[in-house]
């Protein structure tokens, strides 16, 4: 009965209520000071989560790559005859070219293996060209050339073989660049639509890369690579600069610069893409007009060699045949 009387005493109930309110007030006021607001720890947790997502993405890509090509890693392995020859003869130092990686990337060859292949053929091609020319001139047909002239022809073949790999890479890079530039203005329009619809720039580039593959596989590949670099590189500016460097076109370089400035200064990306899309369409139109303007000059020699003789035969042929008939009768 004493405990019940104590619990039901109004003064005790009021005292307990006041103590509870006081305790809640103290906890409320002291909670900001007691709360752990360690920015470094929060950033570390975000970085750990990012690394975990990257690790899962790498595993998924490696599994897809292994299912299609039997590979178990994303890293390109440079092994084989070309690598051994280049390392033993130190061709990368003997035939050093500071722009070989950039030129191969513009042609669509990435990784260490194309570099070793390039140096190997740059070393072998001069001897092959010179041997072929020497055998032809000495065995098949010498064209009446003197020995010194044959030697000069072999030396010319040697020089031609040294520059042949560069010419081959340049031709592939040129064709690849033309394919990219032809589809780039349309891809910018699609990118503008995706960005203005609310998509992030990474998702928009990935979506446009998937859609533009039917018209230009090269551009789809470059956009997929740009998406990967935006996700993994520490500075997004490097991804845009690498994209411009691989394509090596003024219009694409200006687009990359505009996207870098838009992210750095917070300018509207949609407006920049709209302007860049118009400029790239104008560049494509001016290139077409340039080809059309050069067409009459290019057709002059074929017309002189092929069209005019046929035209003269068609016009003068009947007259010549009639004159021959008249002369034959007399």
């Amino acid at each position: 009965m004493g405990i019940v009387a104590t619990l039901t005493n109004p003064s005790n109930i009021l005292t307990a209520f006041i103590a509870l309110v006081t305790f809640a007030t103290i906890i409320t006021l002291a909670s900001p000071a007691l709360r752990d607001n360690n920015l470094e720890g929060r950033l570390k947790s975000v970085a750990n989560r990012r690394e975990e997502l990257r690790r899962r993405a790498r595993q998924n890509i490696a599994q897809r790559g292994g299912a299609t090509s039997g590979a178990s890693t994303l890293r390109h392995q440079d092994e084989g005859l070309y690598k051994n020859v280049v390392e033993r003869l130190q061709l990368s130092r003997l035939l050093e070219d500071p722009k070989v990686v950039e030129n191969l990337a513009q042609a669509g060859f990435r990784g260490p293996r194309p570099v070793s292949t390039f140096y190997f053929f740059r070393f072998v091609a001069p001897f092959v060209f010179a041997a072929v020319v020497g055998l032809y001139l000495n065995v098949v047909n010498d064209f009446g050339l003197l020995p010194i002239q044959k030697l000069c022809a072999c030396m010319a073949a040697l020089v031609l073989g040294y520059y042949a790999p560069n010419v081959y890479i340049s031709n592939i890079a040129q064709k690849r660049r033309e394919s990219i530039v032809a589809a780039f203005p349309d891809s910018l329009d699609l990118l503008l639509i995706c960005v203005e619809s609310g998509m992030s720039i990474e998702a928009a580039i990935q979506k446009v890369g998937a859609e533009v593959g039917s018209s230009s596989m090269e551009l789809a590949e470059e956009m997929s690579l740009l998406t990967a670099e935006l996700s993994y590189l520490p500075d997004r500016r490097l991804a845009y600069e690498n994209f411009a460097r691989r394509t090596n076109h003024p219009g694409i370089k200006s687009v990359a610069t505009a996207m870098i400035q838009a992210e750095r200064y917070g300018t509207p990306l949609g407006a920049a893409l709209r302007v860049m899309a118009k400029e790239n369409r104008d560049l494509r139109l001016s290139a077409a007009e340039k080809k059309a303007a050069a067409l009459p000059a290019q057709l002059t020699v074929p017309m002189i060699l092929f069209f005019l003789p046929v035209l003269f035969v068609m016009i003068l042929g009947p007259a010549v045949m009639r004159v021959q008939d008249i002369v034959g009768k007399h």
Side-chain angles (χ1 to χ4, degrees), residues 234-258:
D235 191 357
R236 297 166 64 88
R237 177 180 57 85
L238 296 176
Y240 294 121
E241 290 179 352
N242 292 338
F243 177 63
R245 191 179 300 111
R246 289 192 304 268
T247 53
N248 193 23
H249 186 264
I252 300 178
K253 289 181 179 179
S254 62
V255 172
T257 303

mmCIF file with all atom_site columns, all heavy atoms in Angstrom, residues 234-258:
data_model
loop_
_atom_site.group_PDB
_atom_site.id
_atom_site.type_symbol
_atom_site.label_atom_id
_atom_site.label_alt_id
_atom_site.label_comp_id
_atom_site.label_asym_id
_atom_site.label_entity_id
_atom_site.label_seq_id
_atom_site.pdbx_PDB_ins_code
_atom_site.Cartn_x
_atom_site.Cartn_y
_atom_site.Cartn_z
_atom_site.occupancy
_atom_site.B_iso_or_equiv
_atom_site.pdbx_formal_charge
_atom_site.auth_seq_id
_atom_site.auth_comp_id
_atom_site.auth_asym_id
_atom_site.auth_atom_id
_atom_site.pdbx_PDB_model_num
ATOM 1   N N   . PRO A 1 234 ? 40.439 9.913  -62.034 1.00 0.00 ? 234 PRO A N   1
ATOM 2   C CA  . PRO A 1 234 ? 40.242 10.811 -60.887 1.00 0.00 ? 234 PRO A CA  1
ATOM 3   C C   . PRO A 1 234 ? 39.774 12.200 -61.288 1.00 0.00 ? 234 PRO A C   1
ATOM 4   O O   . PRO A 1 234 ? 39.133 12.881 -60.496 1.00 0.00 ? 234 PRO A O   1
ATOM 5   C CB  . PRO A 1 234 ? 41.640 10.864 -60.246 1.00 0.00 ? 234 PRO A CB  1
ATOM 6   C CG  . PRO A 1 234 ? 42.583 10.500 -61.347 1.00 0.00 ? 234 PRO A CG  1
ATOM 7   C CD  . PRO A 1 234 ? 41.852 9.533  -62.210 1.00 0.00 ? 234 PRO A CD  1
ATOM 8   N N   . ASP A 1 235 ? 40.098 12.642 -62.497 1.00 0.00 ? 235 ASP A N   1
ATOM 9   C CA  . ASP A 1 235 ? 39.697 13.964 -62.978 1.00 0.00 ? 235 ASP A CA  1
ATOM 10  C C   . ASP A 1 235 ? 38.903 13.788 -64.265 1.00 0.00 ? 235 ASP A C   1
ATOM 11  O O   . ASP A 1 235 ? 39.390 13.190 -65.243 1.00 0.00 ? 235 ASP A O   1
ATOM 12  C CB  . ASP A 1 235 ? 40.927 14.835 -63.238 1.00 0.00 ? 235 ASP A CB  1
ATOM 13  C CG  . ASP A 1 235 ? 40.563 16.297 -63.473 1.00 0.00 ? 235 ASP A CG  1
ATOM 14  O OD1 . ASP A 1 235 ? 39.346 16.599 -63.477 1.00 0.00 ? 235 ASP A OD1 1
ATOM 15  O OD2 . ASP A 1 235 ? 41.477 17.113 -63.652 1.00 0.00 ? 235 ASP A OD2 1
ATOM 16  N N   . ARG A 1 236 ? 37.684 14.277 -64.284 1.00 0.00 ? 236 ARG A N   1
ATOM 17  C CA  . ARG A 1 236 ? 36.833 14.122 -65.467 1.00 0.00 ? 236 ARG A CA  1
ATOM 18  C C   . ARG A 1 236 ? 37.394 14.895 -66.665 1.00 0.00 ? 236 ARG A C   1
ATOM 19  O O   . ARG A 1 236 ? 37.129 14.542 -67.807 1.00 0.00 ? 236 ARG A O   1
ATOM 20  C CB  . ARG A 1 236 ? 35.410 14.614 -65.141 1.00 0.00 ? 236 ARG A CB  1
ATOM 21  C CG  . ARG A 1 236 ? 34.735 13.803 -64.060 1.00 0.00 ? 236 ARG A CG  1
ATOM 22  C CD  . ARG A 1 236 ? 33.511 14.515 -63.532 1.00 0.00 ? 236 ARG A CD  1
ATOM 23  N NE  . ARG A 1 236 ? 32.491 14.671 -64.538 1.00 0.00 ? 236 ARG A NE  1
ATOM 24  C CZ  . ARG A 1 236 ? 31.554 13.766 -64.786 1.00 0.00 ? 236 ARG A CZ  1
ATOM 25  N NH1 . ARG A 1 236 ? 31.495 12.651 -64.081 1.00 0.00 ? 236 ARG A NH1 1
ATOM 26  N NH2 . ARG A 1 236 ? 30.636 13.968 -65.716 1.00 0.00 ? 236 ARG A NH2 1
ATOM 27  N N   . ARG A 1 237 ? 38.164 15.930 -66.402 1.00 0.00 ? 237 ARG A N   1
ATOM 28  C CA  . ARG A 1 237 ? 38.775 16.690 -67.490 1.00 0.00 ? 237 ARG A CA  1
ATOM 29  C C   . ARG A 1 237 ? 39.686 15.802 -68.327 1.00 0.00 ? 237 ARG A C   1
ATOM 30  O O   . ARG A 1 237 ? 39.755 15.953 -69.555 1.00 0.00 ? 237 ARG A O   1
ATOM 31  C CB  . ARG A 1 237 ? 39.564 17.862 -66.894 1.00 0.00 ? 237 ARG A CB  1
ATOM 32  C CG  . ARG A 1 237 ? 40.307 18.691 -67.918 1.00 0.00 ? 237 ARG A CG  1
ATOM 33  C CD  . ARG A 1 237 ? 41.050 19.830 -67.216 1.00 0.00 ? 237 ARG A CD  1
ATOM 34  N NE  . ARG A 1 237 ? 41.960 19.308 -66.217 1.00 0.00 ? 237 ARG A NE  1
ATOM 35  C CZ  . ARG A 1 237 ? 43.196 18.897 -66.473 1.00 0.00 ? 237 ARG A CZ  1
ATOM 36  N NH1 . ARG A 1 237 ? 43.676 18.954 -67.713 1.00 0.00 ? 237 ARG A NH1 1
ATOM 37  N NH2 . ARG A 1 237 ? 43.973 18.439 -65.504 1.00 0.00 ? 237 ARG A NH2 1
ATOM 38  N N   . LEU A 1 238 ? 40.379 14.875 -67.689 1.00 0.00 ? 238 LEU A N   1
ATOM 39  C CA  . LEU A 1 238 ? 41.269 13.973 -68.422 1.00 0.00 ? 238 LEU A CA  1
ATOM 40  C C   . LEU A 1 238 ? 40.491 13.093 -69.391 1.00 0.00 ? 238 LEU A C   1
ATOM 41  O O   . LEU A 1 238 ? 40.973 12.788 -70.487 1.00 0.00 ? 238 LEU A O   1
ATOM 42  C CB  . LEU A 1 238 ? 42.050 13.105 -67.435 1.00 0.00 ? 238 LEU A CB  1
ATOM 43  C CG  . LEU A 1 238 ? 43.001 13.839 -66.494 1.00 0.00 ? 238 LEU A CG  1
ATOM 44  C CD1 . LEU A 1 238 ? 43.638 12.861 -65.515 1.00 0.00 ? 238 LEU A CD1 1
ATOM 45  C CD2 . LEU A 1 238 ? 44.071 14.580 -67.279 1.00 0.00 ? 238 LEU A CD2 1
ATOM 46  N N   . ALA A 1 239 ? 39.287 12.691 -69.013 1.00 0.00 ? 239 ALA A N   1
ATOM 47  C CA  . ALA A 1 239 ? 38.478 11.849 -69.901 1.00 0.00 ? 239 ALA A CA  1
ATOM 48  C C   . ALA A 1 239 ? 38.101 12.605 -71.169 1.00 0.00 ? 239 ALA A C   1
ATOM 49  O O   . ALA A 1 239 ? 38.211 12.067 -72.289 1.00 0.00 ? 239 ALA A O   1
ATOM 50  C CB  . ALA A 1 239 ? 37.223 11.374 -69.167 1.00 0.00 ? 239 ALA A CB  1
ATOM 51  N N   . TYR A 1 240 ? 37.675 13.865 -71.024 1.00 0.00 ? 240 TYR A N   1
ATOM 52  C CA  . TYR A 1 240 ? 37.325 14.658 -72.207 1.00 0.00 ? 240 TYR A CA  1
ATOM 53  C C   . TYR A 1 240 ? 38.550 14.953 -73.070 1.00 0.00 ? 240 TYR A C   1
ATOM 54  O O   . TYR A 1 240 ? 38.471 14.921 -74.309 1.00 0.00 ? 240 TYR A O   1
ATOM 55  C CB  . TYR A 1 240 ? 36.659 15.960 -71.773 1.00 0.00 ? 240 TYR A CB  1
ATOM 56  C CG  . TYR A 1 240 ? 35.319 15.775 -71.111 1.00 0.00 ? 240 TYR A CG  1
ATOM 57  C CD1 . TYR A 1 240 ? 35.085 16.227 -69.819 1.00 0.00 ? 240 TYR A CD1 1
ATOM 58  C CD2 . TYR A 1 240 ? 34.272 15.136 -71.776 1.00 0.00 ? 240 TYR A CD2 1
ATOM 59  C CE1 . TYR A 1 240 ? 33.864 16.052 -69.202 1.00 0.00 ? 240 TYR A CE1 1
ATOM 60  C CE2 . TYR A 1 240 ? 33.044 14.958 -71.162 1.00 0.00 ? 240 TYR A CE2 1
ATOM 61  C CZ  . TYR A 1 240 ? 32.843 15.418 -69.873 1.00 0.00 ? 240 TYR A CZ  1
ATOM 62  O OH  . TYR A 1 240 ? 31.636 15.242 -69.264 1.00 0.00 ? 240 TYR A OH  1
ATOM 63  N N   . GLU A 1 241 ? 39.679 15.225 -72.436 1.00 0.00 ? 241 GLU A N   1
ATOM 64  C CA  . GLU A 1 241 ? 40.895 15.492 -73.205 1.00 0.00 ? 241 GLU A CA  1
ATOM 65  C C   . GLU A 1 241 ? 41.371 14.245 -73.947 1.00 0.00 ? 241 GLU A C   1
ATOM 66  O O   . GLU A 1 241 ? 41.823 14.338 -75.096 1.00 0.00 ? 241 GLU A O   1
ATOM 67  C CB  . GLU A 1 241 ? 41.990 16.007 -72.271 1.00 0.00 ? 241 GLU A CB  1
ATOM 68  C CG  . GLU A 1 241 ? 41.721 17.408 -71.731 1.00 0.00 ? 241 GLU A CG  1
ATOM 69  C CD  . GLU A 1 241 ? 42.806 17.872 -70.785 1.00 0.00 ? 241 GLU A CD  1
ATOM 70  O OE1 . GLU A 1 241 ? 43.683 17.042 -70.447 1.00 0.00 ? 241 GLU A OE1 1
ATOM 71  O OE2 . GLU A 1 241 ? 42.791 19.055 -70.382 1.00 0.00 ? 241 GLU A OE2 1
ATOM 72  N N   . ASN A 1 242 ? 41.266 13.091 -73.323 1.00 0.00 ? 242 ASN A N   1
ATOM 73  C CA  . ASN A 1 242 ? 41.631 11.849 -74.013 1.00 0.00 ? 242 ASN A CA  1
ATOM 74  C C   . ASN A 1 242 ? 40.701 11.573 -75.189 1.00 0.00 ? 242 ASN A C   1
ATOM 75  O O   . ASN A 1 242 ? 41.139 11.102 -76.244 1.00 0.00 ? 242 ASN A O   1
ATOM 76  C CB  . ASN A 1 242 ? 41.590 10.680 -73.034 1.00 0.00 ? 242 ASN A CB  1
ATOM 77  C CG  . ASN A 1 242 ? 42.679 10.769 -71.986 1.00 0.00 ? 242 ASN A CG  1
ATOM 78  O OD1 . ASN A 1 242 ? 43.692 11.433 -72.187 1.00 0.00 ? 242 ASN A OD1 1
ATOM 79  N ND2 . ASN A 1 242 ? 42.468 10.121 -70.862 1.00 0.00 ? 242 ASN A ND2 1
ATOM 80  N N   . PHE A 1 243 ? 39.425 11.869 -75.017 1.00 0.00 ? 243 PHE A N   1
ATOM 81  C CA  . PHE A 1 243 ? 38.464 11.693 -76.116 1.00 0.00 ? 243 PHE A CA  1
ATOM 82  C C   . PHE A 1 243 ? 38.805 12.593 -77.294 1.00 0.00 ? 243 PHE A C   1
ATOM 83  O O   . PHE A 1 243 ? 38.779 12.158 -78.457 1.00 0.00 ? 243 PHE A O   1
ATOM 84  C CB  . PHE A 1 243 ? 37.059 11.998 -75.593 1.00 0.00 ? 243 PHE A CB  1
ATOM 85  C CG  . PHE A 1 243 ? 35.989 11.928 -76.640 1.00 0.00 ? 243 PHE A CG  1
ATOM 86  C CD1 . PHE A 1 243 ? 35.705 10.745 -77.301 1.00 0.00 ? 243 PHE A CD1 1
ATOM 87  C CD2 . PHE A 1 243 ? 35.251 13.061 -76.971 1.00 0.00 ? 243 PHE A CD2 1
ATOM 88  C CE1 . PHE A 1 243 ? 34.718 10.685 -78.272 1.00 0.00 ? 243 PHE A CE1 1
ATOM 89  C CE2 . PHE A 1 243 ? 34.264 13.009 -77.933 1.00 0.00 ? 243 PHE A CE2 1
ATOM 90  C CZ  . PHE A 1 243 ? 33.991 11.830 -78.583 1.00 0.00 ? 243 PHE A CZ  1
ATOM 91  N N   . ALA A 1 244 ? 39.152 13.846 -77.019 1.00 0.00 ? 244 ALA A N   1
ATOM 92  C CA  . ALA A 1 244 ? 39.538 14.759 -78.097 1.00 0.00 ? 244 ALA A CA  1
ATOM 93  C C   . ALA A 1 244 ? 40.847 14.344 -78.738 1.00 0.00 ? 244 ALA A C   1
ATOM 94  O O   . ALA A 1 244 ? 41.029 14.458 -79.959 1.00 0.00 ? 244 ALA A O   1
ATOM 95  C CB  . ALA A 1 244 ? 39.634 16.188 -77.557 1.00 0.00 ? 244 ALA A CB  1
ATOM 96  N N   . ARG A 1 245 ? 41.783 13.829 -77.929 1.00 0.00 ? 245 ARG A N   1
ATOM 97  C CA  . ARG A 1 245 ? 43.079 13.418 -78.464 1.00 0.00 ? 245 ARG A CA  1
ATOM 98  C C   . ARG A 1 245 ? 42.949 12.172 -79.345 1.00 0.00 ? 245 ARG A C   1
ATOM 99  O O   . ARG A 1 245 ? 43.629 12.055 -80.365 1.00 0.00 ? 245 ARG A O   1
ATOM 100 C CB  . ARG A 1 245 ? 44.047 13.153 -77.309 1.00 0.00 ? 245 ARG A CB  1
ATOM 101 C CG  . ARG A 1 245 ? 45.491 12.971 -77.764 1.00 0.00 ? 245 ARG A CG  1
ATOM 102 C CD  . ARG A 1 245 ? 46.408 12.724 -76.574 1.00 0.00 ? 245 ARG A CD  1
ATOM 103 N NE  . ARG A 1 245 ? 46.369 13.850 -75.653 1.00 0.00 ? 245 ARG A NE  1
ATOM 104 C CZ  . ARG A 1 245 ? 45.824 13.795 -74.448 1.00 0.00 ? 245 ARG A CZ  1
ATOM 105 N NH1 . ARG A 1 245 ? 45.280 12.676 -74.001 1.00 0.00 ? 245 ARG A NH1 1
ATOM 106 N NH2 . ARG A 1 245 ? 45.821 14.855 -73.654 1.00 0.00 ? 245 ARG A NH2 1
ATOM 107 N N   . ARG A 1 246 ? 42.085 11.250 -78.982 1.00 0.00 ? 246 ARG A N   1
ATOM 108 C CA  . ARG A 1 246 ? 41.917 10.036 -79.784 1.00 0.00 ? 246 ARG A CA  1
ATOM 109 C C   . ARG A 1 246 ? 41.241 10.308 -81.114 1.00 0.00 ? 246 ARG A C   1
ATOM 110 O O   . ARG A 1 246 ? 41.550 9.673  -82.121 1.00 0.00 ? 246 ARG A O   1
ATOM 111 C CB  . ARG A 1 246 ? 41.106 8.994  -79.000 1.00 0.00 ? 246 ARG A CB  1
ATOM 112 C CG  . ARG A 1 246 ? 41.843 8.370  -77.839 1.00 0.00 ? 246 ARG A CG  1
ATOM 113 C CD  . ARG A 1 246 ? 41.078 7.171  -77.324 1.00 0.00 ? 246 ARG A CD  1
ATOM 114 N NE  . ARG A 1 246 ? 39.714 7.519  -76.944 1.00 0.00 ? 246 ARG A NE  1
ATOM 115 C CZ  . ARG A 1 246 ? 39.346 7.870  -75.730 1.00 0.00 ? 246 ARG A CZ  1
ATOM 116 N NH1 . ARG A 1 246 ? 40.247 7.933  -74.760 1.00 0.00 ? 246 ARG A NH1 1
ATOM 117 N NH2 . ARG A 1 246 ? 38.086 8.163  -75.464 1.00 0.00 ? 246 ARG A NH2 1
ATOM 118 N N   . THR A 1 247 ? 40.308 11.250 -81.139 1.00 0.00 ? 247 THR A N   1
ATOM 119 C CA  . THR A 1 247 ? 39.610 11.560 -82.389 1.00 0.00 ? 247 THR A CA  1
ATOM 120 C C   . THR A 1 247 ? 40.386 12.529 -83.270 1.00 0.00 ? 247 THR A C   1
ATOM 121 O O   . THR A 1 247 ? 40.335 12.432 -84.496 1.00 0.00 ? 247 THR A O   1
ATOM 122 C CB  . THR A 1 247 ? 38.226 12.143 -82.078 1.00 0.00 ? 247 THR A CB  1
ATOM 123 O OG1 . THR A 1 247 ? 38.370 13.258 -81.173 1.00 0.00 ? 247 THR A OG1 1
ATOM 124 C CG2 . THR A 1 247 ? 37.339 11.097 -81.428 1.00 0.00 ? 247 THR A CG2 1
ATOM 125 N N   . ASN A 1 248 ? 41.075 13.478 -82.650 1.00 0.00 ? 248 ASN A N   1
ATOM 126 C CA  . ASN A 1 248 ? 41.953 14.412 -83.379 1.00 0.00 ? 248 ASN A CA  1
ATOM 127 C C   . ASN A 1 248 ? 41.184 15.157 -84.470 1.00 0.00 ? 248 ASN A C   1
ATOM 128 O O   . ASN A 1 248 ? 41.562 15.154 -85.645 1.00 0.00 ? 248 ASN A O   1
ATOM 129 C CB  . ASN A 1 248 ? 43.151 13.664 -83.990 1.00 0.00 ? 248 ASN A CB  1
ATOM 130 C CG  . ASN A 1 248 ? 44.227 14.614 -84.481 1.00 0.00 ? 248 ASN A CG  1
ATOM 131 O OD1 . ASN A 1 248 ? 44.323 15.752 -84.029 1.00 0.00 ? 248 ASN A OD1 1
ATOM 132 N ND2 . ASN A 1 248 ? 45.033 14.155 -85.420 1.00 0.00 ? 248 ASN A ND2 1
ATOM 133 N N   . HIS A 1 249 ? 40.089 15.805 -84.054 1.00 0.00 ? 249 HIS A N   1
ATOM 134 C CA  . HIS A 1 249 ? 39.297 16.615 -84.977 1.00 0.00 ? 249 HIS A CA  1
ATOM 135 C C   . HIS A 1 249 ? 38.955 17.936 -84.294 1.00 0.00 ? 249 HIS A C   1
ATOM 136 O O   . HIS A 1 249 ? 38.620 17.953 -83.095 1.00 0.00 ? 249 HIS A O   1
ATOM 137 C CB  . HIS A 1 249 ? 38.016 15.878 -85.375 1.00 0.00 ? 249 HIS A CB  1
ATOM 138 C CG  . HIS A 1 249 ? 37.219 16.586 -86.421 1.00 0.00 ? 249 HIS A CG  1
ATOM 139 N ND1 . HIS A 1 249 ? 36.166 17.419 -86.119 1.00 0.00 ? 249 HIS A ND1 1
ATOM 140 C CD2 . HIS A 1 249 ? 37.331 16.596 -87.771 1.00 0.00 ? 249 HIS A CD2 1
ATOM 141 C CE1 . HIS A 1 249 ? 35.657 17.907 -87.236 1.00 0.00 ? 249 HIS A CE1 1
ATOM 142 N NE2 . HIS A 1 249 ? 36.350 17.424 -88.247 1.00 0.00 ? 249 HIS A NE2 1
ATOM 143 N N   . PRO A 1 250 ? 39.033 19.060 -85.014 1.00 0.00 ? 250 PRO A N   1
ATOM 144 C CA  . PRO A 1 250 ? 38.777 20.357 -84.358 1.00 0.00 ? 250 PRO A CA  1
ATOM 145 C C   . PRO A 1 250 ? 37.387 20.466 -83.760 1.00 0.00 ? 250 PRO A C   1
ATOM 146 O O   . PRO A 1 250 ? 37.222 21.036 -82.666 1.00 0.00 ? 250 PRO A O   1
ATOM 147 C CB  . PRO A 1 250 ? 38.976 21.374 -85.497 1.00 0.00 ? 250 PRO A CB  1
ATOM 148 C CG  . PRO A 1 250 ? 39.853 20.673 -86.483 1.00 0.00 ? 250 PRO A CG  1
ATOM 149 C CD  . PRO A 1 250 ? 39.495 19.229 -86.409 1.00 0.00 ? 250 PRO A CD  1
ATOM 150 N N   . GLY A 1 251 ? 36.364 19.948 -84.451 1.00 0.00 ? 251 GLY A N   1
ATOM 151 C CA  . GLY A 1 251 ? 35.010 20.034 -83.917 1.00 0.00 ? 251 GLY A CA  1
ATOM 152 C C   . GLY A 1 251 ? 34.842 19.266 -82.623 1.00 0.00 ? 251 GLY A C   1
ATOM 153 O O   . GLY A 1 251 ? 34.220 19.757 -81.665 1.00 0.00 ? 251 GLY A O   1
ATOM 154 N N   . ILE A 1 252 ? 35.411 18.085 -82.552 1.00 0.00 ? 252 ILE A N   1
ATOM 155 C CA  . ILE A 1 252 ? 35.298 17.278 -81.338 1.00 0.00 ? 252 ILE A CA  1
ATOM 156 C C   . ILE A 1 252 ? 36.136 17.889 -80.216 1.00 0.00 ? 252 ILE A C   1
ATOM 157 O O   . ILE A 1 252 ? 35.751 17.849 -79.041 1.00 0.00 ? 252 ILE A O   1
ATOM 158 C CB  . ILE A 1 252 ? 35.721 15.833 -81.637 1.00 0.00 ? 252 ILE A CB  1
ATOM 159 C CG1 . ILE A 1 252 ? 34.808 15.245 -82.713 1.00 0.00 ? 252 ILE A CG1 1
ATOM 160 C CG2 . ILE A 1 252 ? 35.674 14.986 -80.378 1.00 0.00 ? 252 ILE A CG2 1
ATOM 161 C CD1 . ILE A 1 252 ? 35.159 13.842 -83.109 1.00 0.00 ? 252 ILE A CD1 1
ATOM 162 N N   . LYS A 1 253 ? 37.273 18.472 -80.553 1.00 0.00 ? 253 LYS A N   1
ATOM 163 C CA  . LYS A 1 253 ? 38.083 19.143 -79.534 1.00 0.00 ? 253 LYS A CA  1
ATOM 164 C C   . LYS A 1 253 ? 37.331 20.328 -78.932 1.00 0.00 ? 253 LYS A C   1
ATOM 165 O O   . LYS A 1 253 ? 37.388 20.559 -77.724 1.00 0.00 ? 253 LYS A O   1
ATOM 166 C CB  . LYS A 1 253 ? 39.397 19.610 -80.147 1.00 0.00 ? 253 LYS A CB  1
ATOM 167 C CG  . LYS A 1 253 ? 40.364 18.484 -80.470 1.00 0.00 ? 253 LYS A CG  1
ATOM 168 C CD  . LYS A 1 253 ? 41.665 19.024 -81.047 1.00 0.00 ? 253 LYS A CD  1
ATOM 169 C CE  . LYS A 1 253 ? 42.642 17.902 -81.360 1.00 0.00 ? 253 LYS A CE  1
ATOM 170 N NZ  . LYS A 1 253 ? 43.916 18.394 -81.941 1.00 0.00 ? 253 LYS A NZ  1
ATOM 171 N N   . SER A 1 254 ? 36.614 21.074 -79.761 1.00 0.00 ? 254 SER A N   1
ATOM 172 C CA  . SER A 1 254 ? 35.840 22.202 -79.229 1.00 0.00 ? 254 SER A CA  1
ATOM 173 C C   . SER A 1 254 ? 34.701 21.720 -78.344 1.00 0.00 ? 254 SER A C   1
ATOM 174 O O   . SER A 1 254 ? 34.390 22.343 -77.316 1.00 0.00 ? 254 SER A O   1
ATOM 175 C CB  . SER A 1 254 ? 35.293 23.031 -80.396 1.00 0.00 ? 254 SER A CB  1
ATOM 176 O OG  . SER A 1 254 ? 34.420 22.260 -81.211 1.00 0.00 ? 254 SER A OG  1
ATOM 177 N N   . VAL A 1 255 ? 34.084 20.598 -78.701 1.00 0.00 ? 255 VAL A N   1
ATOM 178 C CA  . VAL A 1 255 ? 33.021 20.039 -77.855 1.00 0.00 ? 255 VAL A CA  1
ATOM 179 C C   . VAL A 1 255 ? 33.584 19.602 -76.512 1.00 0.00 ? 255 VAL A C   1
ATOM 180 O O   . VAL A 1 255 ? 32.986 19.850 -75.454 1.00 0.00 ? 255 VAL A O   1
ATOM 181 C CB  . VAL A 1 255 ? 32.333 18.866 -78.579 1.00 0.00 ? 255 VAL A CB  1
ATOM 182 C CG1 . VAL A 1 255 ? 31.372 18.149 -77.644 1.00 0.00 ? 255 VAL A CG1 1
ATOM 183 C CG2 . VAL A 1 255 ? 31.576 19.364 -79.792 1.00 0.00 ? 255 VAL A CG2 1
ATOM 184 N N   . ALA A 1 256 ? 34.734 18.949 -76.540 1.00 0.00 ? 256 ALA A N   1
ATOM 185 C CA  . ALA A 1 256 ? 35.362 18.526 -75.285 1.00 0.00 ? 256 ALA A CA  1
ATOM 186 C C   . ALA A 1 256 ? 35.714 19.727 -74.413 1.00 0.00 ? 256 ALA A C   1
ATOM 187 O O   . ALA A 1 256 ? 35.507 19.704 -73.189 1.00 0.00 ? 256 ALA A O   1
ATOM 188 C CB  . ALA A 1 256 ? 36.607 17.691 -75.583 1.00 0.00 ? 256 ALA A CB  1
ATOM 189 N N   . THR A 1 257 ? 36.231 20.779 -75.025 1.00 0.00 ? 257 THR A N   1
ATOM 190 C CA  . THR A 1 257 ? 36.557 21.994 -74.266 1.00 0.00 ? 257 THR A CA  1
ATOM 191 C C   . THR A 1 257 ? 35.305 22.620 -73.663 1.00 0.00 ? 257 THR A C   1
ATOM 192 O O   . THR A 1 257 ? 35.309 23.071 -72.507 1.00 0.00 ? 257 THR A O   1
ATOM 193 C CB  . THR A 1 257 ? 37.264 23.003 -75.174 1.00 0.00 ? 257 THR A CB  1
ATOM 194 O OG1 . THR A 1 257 ? 38.440 22.405 -75.741 1.00 0.00 ? 257 THR A OG1 1
ATOM 195 C CG2 . THR A 1 257 ? 37.660 24.243 -74.401 1.00 0.00 ? 257 THR A CG2 1
ATOM 196 N N   . ALA A 1 258 ? 34.212 22.656 -74.438 1.00 0.00 ? 258 ALA A N   1
ATOM 197 C CA  . ALA A 1 258 ? 32.963 23.221 -73.921 1.00 0.00 ? 258 ALA A CA  1
ATOM 198 C C   . ALA A 1 258 ? 32.416 22.398 -72.759 1.00 0.00 ? 258 ALA A C   1
ATOM 199 O O   . ALA A 1 258 ? 31.910 22.955 -71.770 1.00 0.00 ? 258 ALA A O   1
ATOM 200 C CB  . ALA A 1 258 ? 31.932 23.285 -75.052 1.00 0.00 ? 258 ALA A CB  1
#
